[in-house]
Amino acid sequence: MRFIRPVWLTHSGEKKDFEVYSCHVSPDGSRLVTAAGDGYVRVWSTEAAFNAADPSFNGPRQLASMSYHSGTIHTVRFSGNGRYLASGADDKIVCVYTLDPHPPTHNTAFGTDEPPPVETWKIHRRLIGHDNDVQDLGWSHDSSILVSVGLDSKVVVWSGYTFEKLKTISGHQSLVKGITFDPANKYFATASDDRTVKLWRFTSPGPNSTAYDQMSNFVLEKSIENPFKGSPLTTYFRRCSWSPDGNHIAAANAVNGPVSSVAIVNRSIWDSDIHLIGHEGPVEVCAFSPRLFSKVRPSNQSTDGRGPNLSNLVTVIACAGQDKALSIWITSNPRPLVISQGMAVKSLSDLAWTPDGLNLFVTSLDGSIICVSFEPGELGYEVSQEETEKTLERFGTGRRGAGIIEGTDGLLIEEKSREDELRGAEGRMGALMGDAPPSQSLTANGHDNPAPTSAPAVNGFTPSIDAKLPLINGDEPHSTRNDAQMNGQSQEDPNKEKLEKLKSRVTITKDGKKRIVPLLLSSSGGYESSLPRSQLMSASTNIQGGKDDSPQTILDLSKPFDGLPKGGLSSLLLGNKRKWAKPEDAEDDSLEKRISLASKDGAVPIVANTTEGLIPARSGSGSAGQQPTPAFIRPAILNPSLTVSQVRLAVPKLRRHITQTIGRSNGSAAPEDPSRGPDHPLATNGRQAQPELMIEVRNPSQMPTSGRSSDQEPCKITVSRRGQPLWQDFLPRSTLLVTGNETFWAAACEDGSIHAWTPAGRRLVNALILESQPVKVECMKNWLLCVTAVGLCYVWDMKTLQSPHPPVSLAPLLDIAIYSLQDHVTAGPAVTAARLSSEGRVVIRLSNGDGFAYSPSMYIWQRISEVWWAVGSQYWNSVAASVGDLRSSSEAKDGSNVSAGIIPFLEGGTRTESMVRGKAVMLQRLVKQLLSREGYEGFESTVSIAHLENRVAGTLMLGSKEEFRVYLYMYAKRIGNEGLKSKVEELLQGLLGGNGGDDEMEATGSPVGKRNAEDRTWDNGTEYLCGWPRKKLQKGVLSILGKNRDLHRITVPYAKLLGVPEELEHESEDEMMVS
């Protein structure tokens, strides 16, 4: 071991050397960056530092110097990929620099003693998000996020791609002075003067992620307090470090009784049973060596099939602080390996290891920068970086090497993949800066729609969107624009007064002067943001921007959740207590006088709840004459079959008046069917507004005088258009339920019969006789669904008068096999919703959160959604509403969009039921326990991939075209990032099956995207899969997988088969010719 202290390695001033607060070494080990009180960030050559004693060395020493801060710089850090350099200072700003590949074109600035720059580091971003000094910075190991901490007690998370602020965490109660990242990329830890170290769990965001997407990311996992009780608050930093094997955290400024120490926190259980004791003063900085070492020579190591034996591996840690001493520890030795005292005159501020783990740079507040160099074998026998990363695989890390380029074809595909991935981020940033072009309105079904037209871009593919978003029952959402917006009238900005106050906000500086605080342009805009909204959106919400398919955090159900109180949202905010209403003849607000005023007429002084508030109730005479009929007349007469049935569903009560409407009453246009004549009930007769149709049912309210049910009055059914009757009919039995659309009308009667009519009122079919009373009827296009009281589901095609399958029972969904085995009667789950897809598939949602769909080809129910995915999958909240609403205008015209929105509909019900009923609380606790146990390191990844596979299989069975493509691309991206070569090859092989090319199909005249039941399996022998040409899907998947070099041996042969490299070469040649 030797100490190197170059004389030139310092931040020198005219009279003294400035305090050096931070240092860091680049990932390639060639650069050392330091930050000091002179406001400069200086980049040095590590080779020059190592050869400081060699007079023959004539290489450059200082490579560059940057002065973009207006104060003391406290921290400086390189990103893990070496592309960026970040610095934080007491001017509350974080600066991000990038290296210009071109040599500098200028010399030293006039009037300074700075040496000529060798490299040019340009300012890339200035990040403003702190209210006080920035104390420390940290990059995630995949460089996807940058986290800054400061004296404002905030932890700010920035995107490592766009440097947009993703989240501000205010979890600490005092100054935050240190941060470190888990090498497995699962957590980061922050240390604060509130005497805690907090662990934050996160999932790496993607390039297109925004603050809306990360609302549920970066959650608190654990707060560690015991080792820091009574720790001094006089330290300038609390810089902690994470071991390279991911097992331990070294936390500075801990105490063990009255003695200062370094606490070693164990992973998973997050406790501290080991303390490094020996420093006389508080320790401010700890730094683990980035490499693992072995106690025996590599040739003599015993392996377990996965690299070196874990029992032979050791880690090295360096500690320094206010006692001006440096100590170096090895985990195999209870005593420190090295103790060096008196290295500096003032406190040691920062430590930085080189990537090979053999050199350590130390900075001090006296301005000195020292290099401690170790000989090979002095700390142990170095373990290769590949073996170090293998030790992290048990924690589920997905970090891998860059891989080897297999050829020029693979390089072309990789470049194309990265262009597609970054295109969405660049477009979003351009929209943020005001460079986006004005949105154009779509034309769907021949009508203009002024709704936003930007659809989620999935890996470069941007589907167009029909402004009319489909719902499950075929109802179309009403416009949410008010009259002023529709008429083009401008409205006063509600934030104008607030912005004026912000513009004139005055603060007092340190020297007592008053200054007006500048207002950022990004915060002063009164326009609606062009960024995507939160993913927890209604299924009928229009899509405002691109969505990210990166995994989100696990849904946190550990806290209780209650529904709204009886009074609704207003009572939740203001309380249920209502004010007393003032009687008209009252002169004051005295409670006693009000009651006496109400009692003089003989009224009892009780409170009446009226629309005007709470008033004393007045006495009144009894009501006389005919009483109003209640909402329902009586319970329906039940069939005797219910007494022996295992499934008993509640039969709706008999109502006197039932109405249901179809069509739109807001004057919106509807497509005209040329096959309809002018006398057709649904014909528009050349008008632009579709008439509103209403079916009205009036049941007899009184029992017959004879006492016999057969003598009761008939049920009257009327269908009208805007108040004008179209046709009438009478039924001998009372009606329970009605439904209808533009194809047919249907009514379900109390005696278990169903009657159907055409739009003109002609009887479509004879009365359909059921075994029990109907409890639910739904229609979709020409399909009719009926659920009976004994749990049988009937589906009929009213156009062909056929059924796709025999009646199917709901007993398997209601856990009959489980509840029937118990000794006592137990309440099972209830049916909360029954729907039909546009292909006649039955969709059921239960009160326990489960969602099911019936497969007529397999004659079995399939579970599409359940609580398990909500608590175990990272993709649960991703693309919740927008995926189901994807529909292009061309597809809307030919009706090819089927079953869109089924998956979001079922998963939305699962989310609601699990939160309201608390069904997932125990599962949430179980998952959290599993994540910390050995053997379950890949639990999250496995469940997330399984969830995507479940989505892909569900959309393929339901025939949901757009959802299938989006989920397929999400699945391909995940298995590519995980490096699952067998699944990647299986996916590409499945997409290739039956691929004869879509060009030939277009030449034959068959429409592209033809929908039929034959393309719902992977090996269907056709050129289509779920309505998409196989070649198009395969090109999209190859574009996603192209950036993974370790998969090039699998993807390049398939790309050559499709001619992708040739197409890319032609495109590049065309671009060169144009340029």
Side-chain angles (χ1 to χ4, degrees):
M1 180 183 69
R2 60 194 179 103
F3 292 86
I4 306 173
R5 186 172 183 176
V7 179
W8 48 266
L9 190 57
T10 181
H11 287 248
S12 59
E14 296 180 358
K15 297 182 180 180
K16 67 169 185 176
D17 291 340
F18 288 94
E19 300 89 348
V20 182
Y21 289 96
S22 181
C23 66
H24 200 237
V25 181
S26 61
D28 59 0
S30 62
R31 300 177 182 89
L32 169 69
V33 61
T34 57
D38 59 350
Y40 277 88
V41 174
R42 302 184 187 273
V43 182
W44 312 87
S45 170
T46 55
E47 184 182 5
F50 299 150
N51 295 277
D54 186 3
S56 62
F57 181 80
N58 57 359
R61 296 174 178 176
Q62 180 174 309
L63 303 179
S65 63
M66 298 83 75
S67 179
Y68 293 98
H69 289 282
S70 60
T72 301
I73 304 176
H74 294 152
T75 176
V76 62
R77 296 289 183 264
F78 279 104
S79 62
N81 55 16
R83 182 178 179 182
Y84 300 108
L85 172 64
S87 62
D90 61 1
D91 58 359
K92 312 172 189 177
I93 295 177
V94 177
C95 291
V96 181
Y97 315 89
T98 56
L99 178 62
D100 190 348
H102 303 92
T105 57
H106 61 280
N107 295 325
T108 306
F110 179 76
T112 63
D113 298 332
E114 295 289 330
V118 180
E119 299 177 343
T120 302
W121 287 83
K122 293 184 176 181
I123 187 74
H124 182 67
R125 289 286 190 276
R126 291 170 61 91
L127 311 181
I128 302 175
H130 284 276
D131 300 328
N132 211 327
D133 299 3
V134 179
Q135 285 294 101
D136 205 3
L137 295 170
W139 293 86
S140 62
H141 283 261
D142 60 356
S143 301
S144 61
I145 59 173
L146 169 67
V147 178
S148 59
V149 298
L151 301 186
D152 55 358
S153 306
K154 293 181 180 179
V155 179
V156 183
V157 184
W158 311 87
S159 170
Y161 304 99
T162 61
F163 295 100
E164 176 188 349
K165 182 164 63 175
L166 298 180
K167 193 170 187 179
T168 299
I169 305 173
S170 302
H172 284 285
Q173 305 301 319
S174 187
L175 318 178
V176 188
K177 297 181 176 180
I179 181 175
T180 183
F181 268 88
D182 172 22
N185 232 41
K186 300 293 182 181
Y187 306 93
F188 64 84
T190 55
S192 170
D193 272 356
D194 59 4
R195 294 188 173 97
T196 63
V197 170
K198 295 186 183 296
L199 275 300
W200 307 92
R201 185 176 187 85
F202 75 98
T203 302
S204 297
N208 301 335
S209 296
T210 65
Y212 298 99
D213 304 328
Q214 305 302 315
M215 292 176 62
S216 57
N217 204 353
F218 312 107
V219 295
L220 179 64
E221 178 75 13
K222 182 70 175 181
S223 181
I224 306 171
E225 303 177 357
N226 290 333
F228 312 102
K229 292 181 178 179
S231 62
L233 304 179
T234 58
T235 58
Y236 204 74
F237 300 106
R238 288 176 179 258
R239 286 172 168 159
C240 42
S241 180
W242 212 302
S243 63
D245 58 358
N247 285 325
H248 305 97
I249 303 173
N253 201 8
V255 292
N256 188 1
V259 182
S260 297
S261 67
V262 175
I264 305 298
V265 180
N266 300 313
R267 191 189 182 98
S268 299
I269 56 178
W270 310 119
D271 64 348
S272 176
D273 54 358
I274 300 176
H275 287 261
L276 305 182
I277 302 175
H279 284 269
E280 297 178 357
V283 177
E284 294 194 15
V285 56
C286 303
F288 272 102
S289 173
R291 302 297 288 271
L292 291 175
F293 295 89
S294 178
K295 295 182 290 185
V296 297
R297 290 184 179 276
S299 58
N300 298 330
Q301 291 184 30
S302 60
T303 61
D304 55 1
R306 294 178 298 176
N309 193 337
L310 297 180
S311 61
N312 294 329
L313 299 181
V314 296
T315 55
V316 179
I317 180 176
C319 307
Q322 292 184 358
D323 59 353
K324 314 174 192 63
L326 171 68
S327 63
I328 297 178
W329 305 71
I330 297 181
T331 54
S332 61
N333 194 341
R335 296 180 179 274
L337 178 67
V338 176
I339 299 178
S340 178
Q341 297 179 340
M343 293 186 61
V345 180
K346 295 183 180 181
S347 301
L348 303 181
S349 57
D350 205 359
L351 303 170
W353 290 90
T354 54
D356 58 4
L358 297 179
N359 299 280
L360 175 67
F361 287 93
V362 185
T363 61
S364 173
L365 296 183
D366 64 359
S368 59
I369 304 173
I370 306 169
C371 176
V372 182
S373 182
F374 298 90
E375 298 295 333
E378 193 171 356
L379 299 176
Y381 298 99
E382 188 176 352
V383 177
S384 64
Q385 186 66 27
E386 291 76 12
E387 300 297 338
T388 302
E389 293 188 357
K390 283 184 179 180
T391 60
L392 298 173
E393 293 181 356
R394 51 184 175 154
F395 301 124
T397 178
R399 295 191 300 142
R400 298 180 301 278
I404 302 176
I405 300 177
E406 298 292 336
T408 57
D409 294 337
L411 187 59
L412 287 173
I413 298 173
E414 180 180 351
E415 292 177 355
K416 181 65 166 57
S417 176
R418 295 189 182 278
E419 290 176 2
D420 293 341
E421 184 176 0
L422 294 178
R423 188 178 303 157
E426 294 174 356
R428 181 172 52 80
M429 289 304 298
L432 178 64
M433 301 304 295
D435 297 334
S439 59
Q440 302 294 331
S441 60
L442 284 178
T443 301
N445 296 332
H447 306 281
D448 295 334
N449 298 287
T453 61
S454 57
V458 183
N459 298 296
F461 294 90
T462 307
S464 57
I465 302 176
D466 188 5
K468 300 187 300 179
L469 302 181
L471 295 180
I472 299 301
N473 290 323
D475 299 330
E476 301 186 5
H478 297 288
S479 174
T480 58
R481 298 173 298 169
N482 53 31
D483 296 337
Q485 291 173 328
M486 295 180 64
N487 297 330
Q489 301 176 0
S490 61
Q491 293 184 344
E492 185 178 359
D493 187 4
N495 298 324
K496 183 177 180 180
E497 182 179 355
K498 180 179 178 182
L499 294 177
E500 292 297 331
K501 293 182 179 179
L502 290 176
K503 292 179 181 179
S504 60
R505 187 174 56 178
V506 179
T507 59
I508 300 177
T509 60
K510 296 180 180 179
D511 54 359
K513 297 181 180 179
K514 293 185 178 181
R515 293 289 185 269
I516 297 179
V517 180
L519 182 63
L520 292 178
L521 292 177
S522 60
S523 64
S524 61
Y527 301 99
E528 186 177 3
S529 173
S530 61
L531 297 179
R533 294 289 188 263
S534 170
Q535 293 174 350
L536 299 179
M537 300 169 62
S538 170
S540 61
T541 304
N542 287 346
I543 304 166
Q544 299 292 336
K547 301 294 290 185
D548 178 35
D549 57 359
S550 59
Q552 306 296 314
T553 185
I554 294 179
L555 183 63
D556 187 10
L557 299 174
S558 58
K559 296 181 180 180
F561 176 86
D562 295 325
L564 293 177
K566 184 177 180 180
L569 183 60
S570 59
S571 64
L572 178 64
L573 301 176
L574 306 177
N576 280 317
K577 185 176 181 181
R578 304 184 65 184
K579 296 182 178 180
W580 287 79
K582 184 177 180 179
E584 296 179 357
D585 51 353
E587 298 180 355
D588 52 29
D589 297 330
S590 173
L591 176 63
E592 293 79 3
K593 290 186 177 181
R594 291 186 185 187
I595 296 179
S596 62
L597 184 64
S599 303
K600 64 182 181 180
D601 294 333
V604 180
I606 61 176
V607 175
N609 188 359
T610 67
T611 57
E612 302 296 332
L614 301 179
I615 64 173
R618 296 181 179 272
S619 61
S621 59
S623 59
Q626 185 177 4
Q627 300 296 322
T629 304
F632 62 90
I633 302 174
R634 55 176 171 79
I637 301 175
L638 299 183
N639 195 292
S641 61
L642 289 176
T643 59
V644 295
S645 174
Q646 289 183 328
V647 179
R648 304 179 186 179
L649 302 182
V651 179
K653 293 182 178 180
L654 186 63
R655 292 172 291 173
R656 179 184 180 183
H657 190 202
I658 305 174
T659 60
Q660 181 169 340
T661 61
I662 66 171
R664 294 180 295 274
S665 59
N666 56 359
S668 58
E672 180 72 25
D673 189 354
S675 63
R676 299 171 181 168
D679 298 331
H680 195 278
L682 297 182
T684 61
N685 296 328
R687 291 176 300 218
Q688 292 297 321
Q690 178 184 357
E692 181 180 356
L693 297 177
M694 182 180 69
I695 183 172
E696 182 180 9
V697 177
R698 292 190 177 274
N699 290 314
S701 58
Q702 298 179 356
M703 292 298 294
T705 56
S706 62
R708 296 189 300 264
S709 59
S710 58
D711 296 339
Q712 69 177 5
E713 298 179 4
C715 170
K716 180 180 178 181
I717 296 180
T718 305
V719 174
S720 60
R721 181 177 60 191
R722 295 196 175 183
Q724 299 297 326
L726 295 179
W727 56 269
Q728 287 185 351
D729 202 348
F730 297 90
L731 298 178
R733 298 291 182 265
S734 298
T735 301
L736 294 177
L737 302 166
V738 293
T739 187
N741 54 27
E742 297 179 356
T743 306
F744 66 92
W745 296 100
C749 296
E750 185 181 16
D751 61 348
S753 61
I754 294 182
H755 302 264
W757 298 267
T758 63
R762 176 177 57 86
R763 290 283 181 129
L764 189 60
V765 68
N766 295 330
L768 307 178
I769 307 302
L770 307 175
E771 77 288 342
S772 60
Q773 284 75 21
V775 299
K776 186 72 174 178
V777 290
E778 287 286 340
C779 65
M780 171 64 78
K781 294 185 177 180
N782 55 310
W783 297 97
L784 175 63
L785 165 68
C786 178
V787 181
T788 65
V790 295
L792 288 181
C793 294
Y794 292 84
V795 179
W796 301 285
D797 186 343
M798 304 307 291
K799 184 176 183 180
T800 62
L801 300 182
Q802 294 179 352
S803 178
H805 53 76
V808 55
S809 175
L810 294 177
L813 310 187
L814 302 178
D815 296 338
I816 295 299
I818 299 177
Y819 292 96
S820 62
L821 299 178
Q822 299 180 2
D823 298 334
H824 304 284
V825 177
T826 307
V831 179
T832 58
R835 297 288 189 269
L836 268 177
S837 73
S838 56
E839 289 191 336
R841 307 290 175 89
V842 185
V843 180
I844 301 294
R845 199 168 72 183
L846 302 183
S847 60
N848 60 3
D850 292 351
F852 302 86
Y854 186 75
S855 174
S857 60
M858 300 183 67
Y859 298 102
I860 197 68
W861 289 102
Q862 295 186 11
R863 183 185 288 112
I864 305 297
S865 177
E866 57 182 319
V867 183
W868 173 252
W869 304 127
V871 299
S873 173
Q874 296 171 327
Y875 289 90
W876 176 249
N877 282 338
S878 65
V879 202
S882 59
V883 171
D885 294 336
L886 292 178
R887 185 167 75 163
S888 64
S889 58
S890 60
E891 293 165 2
K893 291 179 181 179
D894 59 14
S896 60
N897 180 43
V898 284
S899 306
I902 296 294
I903 301 295
F905 168 74
L906 295 178
E907 291 191 352
T910 302
R911 179 173 55 253
T912 302
E913 295 294 341
S914 61
M915 294 176 67
V916 174
R917 300 177 179 269
K919 296 289 186 180
V921 175
M922 294 304 298
L923 270 177
Q924 180 78 18
R925 295 174 181 173
L926 174 63
V927 169
K928 286 189 175 181
Q929 294 176 0
L930 290 177
L931 292 176
S932 60
R933 290 172 55 184
E934 186 175 358
Y936 290 87
E937 294 81 8
F939 174 81
E940 281 184 297
S941 176
T942 303
V943 176
S944 300
I945 293 176
H947 182 211
L948 291 178
E949 293 171 346
N950 185 78
R951 282 178 168 180
V952 172
T955 52
L956 183 61
M957 186 270 290
L958 292 169
S960 182
K961 180 179 178 181
E962 292 292 349
E963 290 179 276
F964 173 76
R965 187 183 67 167
V966 173
Y967 293 141
L968 178 68
Y969 288 172
M970 292 172 63
Y971 174 67
K973 183 176 182 179
R974 183 56 185 261
I975 62 177
N977 293 337
E978 294 288 340
L980 303 178
K981 297 182 179 181
S982 59
K983 288 193 174 183
V984 169
E985 188 170 7
E986 185 181 54
L987 176 62
L988 293 174
Q989 184 63 35
L991 293 174
L992 185 64
N995 184 8
D998 55 340
D999 297 335
E1000 295 82 355
M1001 194 67 179
E1002 293 179 1
T1004 60
S1006 299
V1008 176
K1010 183 180 179 181
R1011 312 306 305 280
N1012 53 64
E1014 297 178 357
D1015 63 350
R1016 305 300 165 78
T1017 59
W1018 294 92
D1019 299 327
N1020 53 41
T1022 66
E1023 296 85 358
Y1024 290 87
L1025 182 63
C1026 199
W1028 292 100
R1030 290 179 178 267
K1031 178 183 287 188
K1032 186 173 183 179
L1033 291 178
Q1034 197 166 23
K1035 286 183 178 180
V1037 171
L1038 288 173
S1039 176
I1040 297 172
L1041 299 174
K1043 65 179 180 180
N1044 300 293
R1045 290 186 179 178
D1046 52 349
L1047 300 176
H1048 279 184
R1049 292 187 178 180
I1050 301 176
T1051 57
V1052 170
Y1054 288 94
K1056 289 182 177 180
L1057 185 62
L1058 297 176
V1060 175
E1062 292 79 3
E1063 294 178 1
L1064 296 178
E1065 290 179 357
H1066 293 324
E1067 290 179 3
S1068 61
E1069 291 176 359
D1070 295 340
E1071 293 177 357
M1072 292 177 62
M1073 293 178 63
V1074 171
S1075 60

